[in-house]
Amino acid sequence: MTTTTIDGRTVHTNDEGFLTDPTEWDEQVAETLAARIGLELTAEHWRAIRFLRTDYAAQGETATLRRISTVGGFPVKTLFQLFPQKPAKKLAYVAGLPKPQGCV
Amino acid sequence: MTITENAPLVPDFGTTDTPRKLAIICSKGNLDMAYPGLVLANAALGEGVETHLFFTFWGFDMIHKKTMGDLKFTMLGNTATHMPQGLGGLPGMTALATHQMRKTITDLGIPDVPEFLQQIVDSGGHLWACRMSADMQHLEQEDLYDEVEGIISASDFIEKTAGAQLLFI
């Protein structure tokens, strides 16, 4: 197990840096994580983050890009604009969740 | 054991100038053989990899408007179903097997072929049709899925995908 310090708080992560305990996350943590990967969070980012957190709480696993798009109603194109290059993983990282496991 | 990282631990999300590029040649028109290329293209795009798909020979069925929504799966000649081969030849068996496979795919939340292609395009993927296959089947651009960027020769595709990793399916 690895710990790292975010905003003076100790949080648990996996060896890649994804938070492993969703309860250690809050909105301030999200802002800091986003800044680390060069993102400034807008209202649009927040809508996606909140969907992912809510869906994770209900499903017990992180939604894939497909699920974020079909269930959450976020167009795939928009997700690529908000979280460029690797939208599903970046979104999971900022939302303090494990990276998605599903193939599609 | 707990390791405490003093420096911020940030996942490697690559950079915008990542040189990785993937070319996938789709040469099959069976429902089951359409998916490997689509799934891998989608995965690559989600990882920020520039991805090009080239549809050739039977793979044309995946982008031909008339057939793309109606690909089939047959047990015939496919020993991996572990069923007696004779069964596969019975009337209605291909329809039944196709129906079952579609249901399994849908239940997993995986899109059908046309919708999957749209997702790939929305993710920034490129679709190309093979010139020779178009000529053999007497098809034009308007017969093909609207998001296909062009009907190009094999050499043009090779040129476009210079430096790419390549998958032939």
Side-chain angles (χ1 to χ4, degrees):
Chain A
M1 190 180 289
T2 306
T3 64
T4 188
T5 308
I6 297 172
D7 301 327
R9 256 186 295 163
T10 302
V11 295
H12 293 84
T13 70
N14 69 3
D15 54 6
E16 285 183 276
F18 287 82
L19 265 62
T20 49
D21 182 353
T23 63
E24 291 177 342
W25 178 95
D26 64 18
E27 299 201 350
Q28 183 53 50
V29 169
E31 298 278 3
T32 305
L33 294 174
R36 283 184 182 173
I37 57 168
L39 293 176
E40 200 175 315
L41 300 180
T42 62
E44 206 49 5
H45 289 96
W46 275 111
R47 282 210 314 121
I49 293 167
R50 292 206 178 93
F51 167 75
L52 205 68
R53 295 272 315 175
T54 311
D55 191 67
Y56 180 86
Q59 302 293 320
E61 61 180 9
T62 308
T64 59
L65 204 64
R66 170 84 191 154
R67 186 172 168 85
I68 301 167
S69 143
T70 54
V71 180
F74 300 90
V76 170
K77 274 185 191 169
T78 308
L79 293 168
F80 270 89
Q81 281 157 6
L82 294 173
F83 301 90
Q85 301 282 106
K86 303 191 181 194
K89 282 187 181 169
K90 284 186 175 174
L91 183 47
Y93 174 68
V94 175
L97 299 171
K99 60 185 180 186
Q101 299 296 317
C103 277
V104 181
Chain B
M1 194 181 75
T2 302
I3 303 160
T4 304
E5 294 283 340
N6 292 320
L9 190 57
V10 182
D12 179 16
F13 287 125
T15 55
T16 44
D17 55 0
T18 172
R20 199 163 165 202
K21 206 167 167 180
L22 179 65
I24 303 177
I25 298 175
C26 299
S27 72
K28 302 276 202 302
N30 307 51
L31 181 64
D32 51 326
M33 289 312 290
Y35 277 92
L38 297 173
V39 171
L40 289 164
N42 184 58
L45 289 159
E47 289 299 305
V49 177
E50 179 183 331
T51 305
H52 296 259
L53 290 97
F54 187 64
F55 299 90
T56 186
F57 278 82
W58 310 121
F60 237 61
D61 274 18
M62 292 171 68
I63 51 166
H64 185 190
K65 280 176 184 160
K66 268 193 184 150
T67 52
M68 63 191 297
D70 190 32
L71 301 186
K72 294 185 174 65
F73 167 60
T74 182
M75 290 161 58
L76 282 175
N78 183 359
T79 56
T81 62
H82 300 282
M83 303 280 268
Q85 282 296 295
L87 267 183
L90 296 177
M93 217 34 142
T94 295
L96 181 68
T98 302
H99 175 79
Q100 278 302 330
M101 180 167 280
R102 274 187 201 287
K103 188 174 177 310
T104 308
I105 289 170
T106 308
D107 289 349
L108 287 173
I110 295 166
D112 61 16
V113 171
E115 208 182 326
F116 215 151
L117 287 171
Q118 189 60 53
Q119 180 168 326
I120 285 168
V121 169
D122 288 347
S123 304
H126 302 276
L127 312 179
W128 304 102
C130 163
R131 163 57 52 201
M132 181 174 157
S133 307
D135 290 347
M136 282 172 69
Q137 299 188 42
H138 308 288
L139 296 174
E140 305 289 342
Q141 180 92 32
E142 62 263 26
D143 300 312
L144 305 177
Y145 185 53
D146 292 338
E147 302 286 359
V148 172
E149 290 180 42
I151 301 176
I152 62 174
S153 68
S155 43
D156 282 348
F157 182 71
I158 295 296
E159 199 174 38
K160 275 184 196 304
T161 53
Q165 293 167 305
L166 191 139
L167 283 172
F168 182 87
I169 296 171

